[in-house]
Every structure is written in structure tokens, then in C-alpha cells.
Amino acid sequence: MSINRILISVAVVLLFSACTGESDDRSPANVILLIGDGMDEQQITMARNYIYGIDGSFEMEKFGYRGAAKVRAVREDNPAIAEYVGDSASGATALATGMLTSKGRIATTAGTDRDIETIVEISQHAGLATALVTTASLTDATPAAFIAHVNARSCQGPDDMAGGSGRLSYMLPCLNDLKRNGGRGSIAEQLVDSNIDLMFGAGMKYFSQAVDSDRGLTVVDSANAQGYRVITKLAELTAPVGKGKVLGLFGPSTLATEWLGENGRTAEPIKPDKQGDPIFPQAFSCVPNSKHEGVPSLALMTKKALTLLNENNSKGFFLMVEGASIDRQAHFRNPCGEIGEVQGFDRAVAVAQAFAQAHPHTLVIVTADHGQAGQIVPLPETYRSLATFYGKPQYSLGFYALLTTQEGGVMAVNYATNSASASSRGVHTGVDVPVFIDGLQAGGLPGLIRQTDIFRLMLDHLGLQDHSN
Ligand SMILES: [Zn+2]
């Protein structure tokens, strides 16, 4: 047993005793894992500065434990070699299975394409209830890696199995996984075959694809046949949904973000004037996104999932909640989109924490899957003074935005991972990601852990065994 493993075991004992206290309470152990996709410390700081000001804090930042997890993927062509920048597929696989894999893979091993048992499957075998909640399509890499097994994250629906555009190495075909070839099918099919109790998110464009074109049956039909109640509207989520399995599909793909930039503004490439001096953009603020009206918030979906999971909760549950668009909006270099999603995610964290306070054996872990591109950088005046010092123009080479924060400051943000062309998207970064744990006694867990350690923490808390490793 490694020192890290021992320390984590100690921490779990401390955590459990902190949760159980002196009582002989036999209430079941539950785990709520909240993943802010792409939510590294830069993205949290940016959102905190904007919303609460430099002295403010999010609910997740009030948790007793705050540490960091090393992000590591492995190379597909040589799984013994580390890859330092991961994606949601490799990150979620590490969290869901305790094993490292290559980018794009959904709970399968790098190089050898072997299925890896996930915490949802282990929980199901032990009779626990399970649920997945996301602001993205449920077929997206993060929720998918908690139950599906496929070599490429792009195989979201039956029509997607032939592979993507070929531009990205992980948009590979998954023809071996087609059901007619003896496989488990696309991610959407695997989700509805999974027997997960609750799934709330989006993805109708994948679930409406045909599984049997001769008979005109879709993945939604398959879900109904397997006992899922399929709901699609906010009103159906807020109304009593009754007992049984529920598949909530509240949009065709990713749900609309809570915020956007004033007049739709995002970060922009800086262009020089005729003298070669940079023209910095004007500052702007964030505003509510009217397209978000009628869309269930992540907090609401989390609250409903917890209410339903808590009914007849005899053996405990595992719930994964993903704030997906922190990452997505960072790809679009849209700081207001990102900031609003961090706030929406933190509201879901508050819901989880309130549940944990009322239900003592509930472990709440908040983390991210990988880093993103948003960076807080100097204001134009700093670049101008640098230009004077160096005798030539100075400016951010990426996309740059100036935001007027709610406390009245101006914050400069840039996205500079790749060439400044409006049609391209920014890419991930390789920074460690934050970990917040509610109820953990300080000093128990090392400050720096690995993503795979989070899998073990969760399993230990639920009293479950990992069979595959
Ligand atoms: Zn991403």
C-alpha cells in the first residue's frame, strides 16, 4: 500500500467518523460527486472575481478540505507514457474507474480496448441507487464514462458509430460496438440499457436516432420498453414524477447557458492599428441569457435527483452531477458563459451540501476533469508600459476580453492556447484541478492527490470493493 493510499484510508476513517459522530445511526452511505468540466483554479478565480469580488467565495470554497488532483491521461500508442493534457473522457474515466486511459476513451483501457468497471456499475451490483445529472447531452464524455464502454467518445448515438470527421484522432469509428456486430451499442443505447435509476440532462438528438430502422424504433423507444419514464419539459421535472426510472432529456444537445456577454460579446483577437499599436477591446459586463428561460438549472435537476434518490433509500446511492458548459464556453472563449456556468454549478454544490447536512453519511466531493484555457492577465495599461519599456507593441496574442466586475473593477481575461482564428476553438490545459470535500477533517488527506484517488475515496465511503483492479 502506498503512503498516499494509507493517508487516504486514514482520511476516509476521519471523514466517516466526522460524518457519523457519536450516534449509532445506521442510515446508508451516499456519495455525490460534482464535476465542473474544465473548472480549474483560473476559471474559479475568474468567476469569483466577477461575481463576488476578490474577497468573496463560492459555496464549494467553504468546504473543509481544499486540495488539488493531478490530471493525467496516457498515450494510446504506449499507455506506459503519460499524456499531460487530458480531456473529459480520460478525466471522467479516471474518476469513474480509478484507472488511467487515453483521451477520447470512455471507460475502456488505452491500447487494449478492454472495458473497465465503473463506480456506477459497482454500486448497482451492491444494490445502491445511481443517478447522472448534467447540463450537456447525457451521451457526452463525462456522464458516459460513468456507465458506457466505448473506444471513442464521439459514438454518442447509433448513427455516429462510423466515426467523425477524422480531424480529431479520438473521433474514431466504433463499428465493433454496433449491436448488430455483437457490441454494446452507442453511448445512448448503453445508457438506456444500464438500468441507472435517474438520468437528467440533454441529448434528444442522439436518443431520437433509430436503433432498428426497419421497425422505426429509436433509443427513446428502447428506454420506454426498459421501464424508463422519459420526460422532456421543465414542468415535468418540477411535478411529481412517481416511482421508477426516469430519463430526463431537456434539449437536443447541450443546454443553454445561464449567462452571456453584453451584446453577445466574447473575447476577441487584438488587432493592431496603422501604427502597429494594439487596439484593446472595450470592457463589458455579463447578462442573463434569455435562451436559458424554461431550461432546468443544474441546481434544480440536482435537487430533484436527490429528492427521488432519498425516497426509500435503504442501501445508499451514487450521484454524479456535471456542470458541463464551463468547459464548453471556455472552448468558445466566452468568459461570461463560463462565469455564469460556474455560478450555476456552485448552486448545485449548495444543494448537495444542504442534503449532506440533513443526511449525515453523505460524502460530497467537488472537482474538475481537466484544465481550461481562460487566464486572468494584465490590463491594457500594463501592456502599454511594457511596450514603452521594450520599445515595441505588447499585447496578448490570444483572444482578450475586459470585464467590468460586479464590485466595479476591470478584469482582463485571455484565451491563448492556439491560433487566433474566430472559427477555431481553444483547447484544454494540463494544470492540476481543484478538489473540495465536505466534512473532511483537516490534515487527513494530502493536499495533492490523483484523480484516481477520488475513485477510491468514494468506493471506501460506500463500503464497496473494486473488482477489476
Ligand atoms: Zn473540453
Side-chain angles (χ1 to χ4, degrees), residues 30-337:
N30 312 306
V31 166
I32 308 171
L33 172 66
L34 299 108
I35 303 173
D37 203 304
M39 189 190 69
D40 64 42
E41 292 283 7
Q42 286 271 0
Q43 321 314 312
I44 292 173
T45 310
M46 187 198 305
R48 186 203 309 123
N49 284 349
Y50 185 87
I51 296 166
Y52 297 114
I54 193 98
D55 293 323
S57 63
F58 286 108
E59 289 305 313
M60 57 189 157
E61 298 183 284
K62 297 170 186 166
F63 282 16
Y65 170 89
R66 181 181 197 150
K70 296 178 192 173
V71 174
R72 180 177 161 186
V74 297
R75 291 192 58 82
E76 176 70 12
D77 56 3
N78 183 356
I81 303 292
E83 173 121 15
Y84 302 111
V85 179
D87 76 336
S88 293
S90 60
T93 296
L95 293 164
T97 71
M99 289 183 70
L100 301 175
T101 194
S102 58
K103 286 191 297 181
R105 281 195 168 276
I106 301 296
T108 50
T109 54
T112 49
D113 197 28
R114 187 169 57 81
D115 293 354
I116 320 172
E117 192 175 37
T118 71
I119 189 164
V120 168
E121 291 167 310
I122 297 168
S123 299
Q124 286 180 326
H125 294 156
L128 278 68
T130 54
L132 302 175
V133 173
T134 180
T135 54
S137 169
L138 284 154
T139 55
D140 211 19
T142 304
F146 282 82
I147 191 66
H149 305 276
V150 66
N151 60 295
R153 58 182 289 175
S154 52
C155 300
Q156 297 188 66
D159 296 345
D160 306 314
M161 305 292 275
S165 62
R167 286 177 300 170
L168 296 169
S169 61
Y170 52 80
M171 293 180 76
L172 298 168
C174 317
L175 298 172
N176 288 343
D177 291 297
L178 278 169
K179 284 199 168 178
R180 66 169 178 269
N181 293 337
R184 290 175 182 247
S186 65
I187 292 168
E189 292 163 275
Q190 294 190 44
L191 287 168
V192 303
D193 292 344
S194 70
N195 210 32
I196 288 180
D197 297 274
L198 306 169
M199 292 184 273
F200 295 154
M204 189 55 97
K205 77 184 246 197
Y206 303 104
F207 287 86
S208 60
Q209 292 178 15
V211 288
D212 184 341
S213 46
D214 294 343
R215 295 166 58 206
L217 295 177
T218 66
V219 187
V220 168
D221 293 324
S222 175
N224 283 319
Q226 298 189 69
Y228 278 98
R229 177 165 176 210
V230 180
I231 59 174
T232 58
K233 295 186 178 67
L234 174 61
E236 292 175 288
L237 186 70
T238 50
V241 299
K243 296 202 184 312
K245 298 185 291 185
V246 187
L247 171 59
L249 297 170
F250 303 107
S253 57
T254 311
L255 299 175
T257 59
E258 302 210 4
W259 283 7
L260 42 68
E262 226 175 341
N263 302 315
R265 287 184 65 191
T266 61
E268 305 159 30
I270 294 175
K271 296 192 180 74
D273 64 13
K274 283 181 182 155
Q275 287 75 44
D277 291 322
I279 307 169
F280 290 98
Q282 294 294 307
F284 61 96
S285 301
C286 304
V287 294
N289 180 8
S290 59
K291 290 186 178 154
H292 184 71
E293 285 168 22
V295 171
S297 68
L298 190 63
L300 180 71
M301 291 192 286
T302 302
K303 191 164 193 172
K304 186 73 174 193
L306 287 168
T307 301
L308 295 174
L309 287 167
N310 195 46
E311 290 172 0
N312 307 314
N313 181 22
S314 58
K315 293 192 170 177
F317 63 76
F318 173 81
L319 165 65
M320 191 287 297
V321 176
E322 183 204 18
S325 289
I326 302 164
D327 171 75
R328 194 171 170 81
Q329 295 304 311
H331 282 298
F332 294 148
R333 296 128 171 164
N334 181 356
C336 287

